[in-house]
């Protein structure tokens, strides 16, 4: 009876709808009748599909007045061609606005034929059981949506599970098909875009891809066993999973210490090891629930579209192949935007590809004692947070090897590849030259590490970091092989070309660690945000900052350093004053009426007036504070000027002495820069060059600081490849300021007292041990370093390698007064040497001149002697003539001739004996004249020959 009433009610409703439809045709263009098609897997599903649409017409929330939904359903045919033909014959011919498609969970049936046929006309197709990732490709399945998620969406649950269990490194195993690759791609994308702390990002250590249908997986498992990760994520079908589980059990890789997380298909294998975790989609096999959700989502989309868009009639046959239904495109977009909060399968929503999101999963644990599969957690939509949420009952999980405690998820290696870099005083590198020579007990072999992993060169390392590495290895029990950075740099984040595409990657030490070619970096590696994003740091083993190194300004110790107290103008005025005063003294003493005192000396002569040379000598003597023994002024006026000049000389000498001490002894050179805020650094001058190391932490610091951008642009062109070369240029004054880590620069300043650090520390940070992301050694290294700080071990390293006792020596050197050296007073010694050389040169000139004068005097003497002989000859002839005349007169008078002549010569002889037979020289005539005047006797004529007793030859 009740069935008859339902039929009558449905018939009446149908008539009423037709009336309203006819009435609506006059008022609105949109249709009021919508036919929904269905391609279902069974008769039961078909029946439920029809009943659901019938009941939908009575739900005013989804179906407005005047609108009626009808259904047309067919069963899925095993032959896809017949399925496509049936879609055209029964569904499209019925003008369906959308198609709900389902296929059996077992078998090879696929809704692809329905999707292709309907998609050609852009008729939306809603899948309720197909999970292949191929349907997400909208280039092929243009109008396909589904209320079940694709297999690749299990990656989202995997990421949440790894976060929950704190597994940071995994090995990914997947089949080389569309689903496997899609799952890997989604896992990598999701794990790298986590919004939480970067420390929880999951790293895939290796990816194992296999062809479906293989017979052995042992070779790949052996490689996996040698890896560090012990967490395996696997996507495989039932057959492939069975092979993998078989070979893994033979290698004991399903025992304690391992963790397996697999997808739904792998759980169907009959040899699934105990302790494995897997996923199961909630309501995955509840076809009725998905039918209902898909119909109500479609009804919601048609309701919204009917209010805002013009709806045209659906295609009515497959013969018109060129017709594309534009309303179908709009309807697809409206369906994709729908959100069904209270669906039978939970929250129903779609992504841009039309795939179901917010699907719920059960976390399943394989336990043999409890019905094989045990639900230990859920991944569901949380309405309060509006996000998916994972809950796990960890206590109820049985792990591989029947362990109740969660595996660590990794194998801790006991032998590490450690990298370092040459950086004094933290790492000293020495090359072994002799073939039989080895490293000392303090040193560690550290060959260069090349890209192929081979170790080259025979080098030994020692220093601060090497002692720290030795102590770390003893403290936390690991062995290591040490190598130097392959390119000699800490690492820079640069853009590189790879196969036509560009991407940013790290170089140097950081690049080796990020590329997993090394396990640890023990070097003065500064902790900064850029590096911490890609590698993991321990707690700082040394705190430091950034400072500026420069060389102390040198004193102007040139050859003329002793002239520095006075300016050039003052020196010129002093020189001019000396000679002007000397000239005035000479003139005053010469023209003064009281210039001569007529004091008789012991030799009976009087003192002469001051001549010009003596006046100059006097002026210089007074100025240079030397004793003046002679050549002093005699007049009163000249002596007054001399006293004034002496006062002037005293002031000049005292001022010179005081300034000389200030210039050469007391002055201490100060640093040129006051620190990073120095205006000359901020507004870089042409004569001030500053630099740092390319790609270093200091370089990154300047990049981050906006207020230092102007300074950084100038520095960038001057930056060096290594700190060693920059410090060397500072020592040789080729670089004015080097900005670097304070530890290294303080060490250099302690080694060389000519170097000094300027200003306060800035950009404070610390040096840390670099490790790979998720390294199992990070906690142990950090705890060991904290223990080293508490025990005083780090302080002992500071005293041994950085300070080395030289810092106190430099401080003591700064406090002691300066002493003048040869460099300061070299000019004075050169001046004395020049005086000596000048004196010797002058004496040579004087001797040469005197020799020339003597030769000239000898020639004059010879000339005078010849003249005297000529005069004597003339006088003799006159005398002879006179004597002849006298003889004649005597004879005439009777006087003997001989007696007369002898008498004359006797007289001359007496006169010669009285004055002595002196040889005459030029210039003594006036002396003889005075003497003759005093005596009153006439001198002997100069032209007379010397007196002699024998004058017989004069007798004619």
């Amino acid at each position: 009876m009740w069935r008859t009433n339902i039929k009558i009610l449905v018939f009446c409703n149908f008539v009423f709808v037709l009336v309203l439809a006819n009435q609506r045709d006059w008022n609105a263009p949109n249709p009021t009748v919508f036919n929904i098609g269905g391609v279902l897997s069974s008769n039961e599903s078909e029946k439920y599909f029809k009943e659901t649409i019938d009941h939908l017409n009575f739900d005013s929330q989804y179906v407005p007045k005047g609108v009626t939904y009808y259904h047309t359903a067919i069963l899925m045919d095993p032959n896809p061609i017949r399925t496509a033909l049936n879609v055209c014959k029964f569904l499209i011919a019925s003008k369906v606005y959308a198609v709900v498609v389902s296929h059996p969970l077992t078998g090879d049936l696929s809704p692809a034929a329905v999707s292709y046929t309907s998609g050609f006309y852009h008729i939306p197709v809603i899948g309720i059981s197909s999970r292949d990732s191929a349907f997400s490709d909208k280039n092929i399945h243009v109008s396909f949506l589904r209320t079940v998620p694709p297999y690749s969406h299990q990656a989202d649950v995997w990421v949440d599970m790894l976060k929950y269990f704190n597994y940071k490194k995994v090995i990914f195993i997947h089949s080389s098909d569309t689903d496997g690759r899609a799952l890997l791609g989604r896992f990598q994308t999701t794990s790298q875009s986590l919004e939480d702390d970067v420390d929880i990002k999951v790293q895939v250590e290796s990816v194992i891809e296999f062809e479906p249908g293989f017979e052995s997986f042992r070779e790949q498992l052996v490689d996996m066993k040698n890896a560090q990760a012990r967490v395996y994520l696997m996507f495989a079908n039932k057959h492939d999973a069975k092979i993998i589980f078989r070979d893994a059990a033979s290698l004991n890789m399903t025992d304690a210490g391992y963790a397996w997380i697999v997808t739904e298909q792998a759980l169907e294998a009959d040899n699934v090891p105990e302790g494995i975790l897997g996923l199961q989609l909630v309501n995955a096999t509840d076809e009725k629930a998905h039918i209902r959700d898909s119909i109500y989502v479609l009804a919601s989309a048609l309701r919204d579209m009917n209010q805002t868009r013009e709806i045209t009639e659906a295609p009515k046959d497959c013969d018109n192949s060129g017709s594309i239904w534009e309303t179908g495109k709009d309807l697809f977009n409206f369906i994709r935007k729908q959100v069904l909060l209270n669906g039978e399968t939970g929250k129903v929503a779609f992504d841009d590809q039309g795939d179901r999101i917010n699907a719920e999963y059960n976390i399943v644990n394989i336990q043999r004692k409890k019905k094989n599969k045990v639900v230990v957690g859920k991944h569901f939509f949380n309405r309060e947070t509006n996000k998916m949420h994972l809950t796990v009952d960890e206590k109820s999980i049985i792990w591989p090897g029947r362990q109740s405690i969660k595996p660590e998820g990794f194998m801790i290696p006991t032998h590490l590849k450690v990298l370092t870099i040459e950086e004094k005083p933290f790492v000293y590198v020495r090359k072994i030259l002799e073939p039989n020579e080895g490293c000392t007990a303090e040193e560690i072999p550290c060959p260069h590490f090349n890209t192929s992993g081979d170790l080259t060169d025979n080098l030994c390392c020692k220093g601060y970091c090497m002692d720290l590495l030795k102590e770390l290895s003893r403290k936390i029990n690991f062995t290591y092989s040490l190598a130097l950075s392959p390119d000699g740099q800490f690492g820079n984040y640069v853009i590189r070309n790879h196969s036509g595409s560009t991407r940013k990657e790290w170089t140097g030490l950081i690049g080796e660690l990020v590329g997993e070619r090394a396990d640890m970096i023990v070097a003065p590696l500064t902790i900064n945000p850029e590096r911490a994003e890609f590698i993991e740091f321990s707690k700082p083993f040394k705190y430091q900052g950034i400072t500026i190194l420069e060389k102390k300004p040198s004193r102007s110790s040139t050859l003329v350093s002793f002239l520095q107290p006075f300016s050039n103008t003052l020196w010129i005025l002093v020189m001019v004053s000396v000679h002007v005063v000397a000239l005035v003294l000479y003139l005053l003493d010469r023209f003064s009426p009281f210039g001569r005192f007529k004091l008789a000396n012991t030799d009976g002569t009087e003192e002469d007036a001051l001549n010009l040379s003596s006046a100059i000598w006097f002026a210089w003597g007074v100025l240079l504070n030397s004793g003046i023994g002679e050549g002093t002024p005699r007049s009163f006026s000249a002596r007054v000027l001399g006293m004034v000049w002496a006062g002037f000389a005293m002031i000049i000498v005292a001022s010179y002495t005081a300034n000389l001490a200030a210039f050469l002894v007391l002055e201490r050179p100060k640093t040129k820069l006051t620190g990073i805020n120095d205006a000359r650094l901020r507004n870089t001058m042409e004569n001030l060059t500053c630099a740092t190391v390319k790609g270093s932490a200091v370089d990154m610091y300047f990049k981050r600081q906006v207020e230092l951008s102007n300074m950084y642009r100038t520095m960038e062109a001057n930056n060096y490849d290594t700190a060693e070369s920059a410090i060397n240029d500072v020592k040789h004054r080729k670089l004015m300021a080097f900005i670097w880590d304070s530890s290294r620069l303080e060490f250099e300043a302690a080694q060389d007292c000519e170097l000094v650090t300027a200003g306060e520390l800035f950009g404070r940070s610390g040096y840390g041990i670099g490790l790979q992301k998720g390294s199992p050694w990070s906690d142990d290294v950090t705890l060991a370093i904290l223990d080293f700080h508490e025990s005083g071990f780090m302080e002992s390293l500071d005293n041994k390698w950085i300070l080395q006792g030289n810092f106190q020596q430099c401080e003591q050197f700064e406090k002691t007064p300066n002493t003048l050296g040869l460099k300061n007073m070299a000019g004075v010694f050169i001046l004395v040497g020049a005086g000596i050389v000048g004196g010797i040169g002058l004496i040579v000139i004087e001797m040469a001149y005197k020799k020339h004068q003597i030769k000239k005097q000898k020639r004059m003497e010879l000339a005078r002697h010849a003249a005297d002989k000529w005069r004597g000859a003339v006088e003799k002839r006159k005398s002879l003539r006179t004597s002849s005349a006298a003889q004649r007169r005597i004879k005439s008078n009777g006087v003997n001739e001989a007696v007369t002549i002898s008498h004359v010569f006797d007289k001359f002889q007496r006169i010669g004996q009285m004055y002595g037979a002196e040889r005459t020289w030029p210039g003594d005539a006036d002396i003889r004249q005075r003497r003759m005047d005093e005596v009153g006797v006439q001198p002997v004529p100069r032209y007379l020959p010397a007196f002699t007793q024998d004058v017989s030859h004069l007798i004619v």
Side-chain angles (χ1 to χ4, degrees), residues 526 544-546 676 701 704-705 741 760-766:
T526 304
Q544 52 92 43
I546 304 173
I676 191 62
Y701 172 82
R704 291 195 303 269
Q705 304 301 317
D741 295 339
E760 298 289 336
L761 294 185
F762 61 96
R764 296 180 181 271
S765 60

Side-chain angles (χ1 to χ4, degrees), residues 20-75:
L20 290 177
N22 292 331
Q23 184 179 0
R24 183 178 179 85
D25 288 340
W26 292 99
N27 298 328
N30 288 346
T32 58
V33 176
F34 297 97
N35 196 8
I36 301 174
V39 180
L40 304 172
S41 60
S42 64
N43 292 324
E44 184 179 357
S45 297
E46 181 181 358
K47 181 179 178 181
Y48 184 80
F49 172 77
K50 293 177 179 180
E51 291 178 355
T52 303
I53 294 178
D54 290 339
H55 284 87
L56 175 66
N57 290 313
F58 295 98
D59 194 340
S60 59
Q61 181 181 354
Y62 294 94
V63 181
K65 292 182 180 181
V67 176
T68 306
Y69 289 96
Y70 290 95
H71 47 74
T72 302
I74 62 174
L75 294 177

Side-chain angles (χ1 to χ4, degrees), residues 35 185 210 323 333 355 373 385 403 411 486 495 503 557 561 596 609 711 792 842 932:
N35 196 8
F210 60 87
S323 175
N333 293 327
D355 293 331
K373 295 180 182 179
T385 61
Q403 299 292 317
M411 179 189 69
I495 299 176
R503 66 181 182 184
S557 301
S561 294
R596 300 182 181 183
M711 179 180 173
L842 289 175
M932 294 304 296

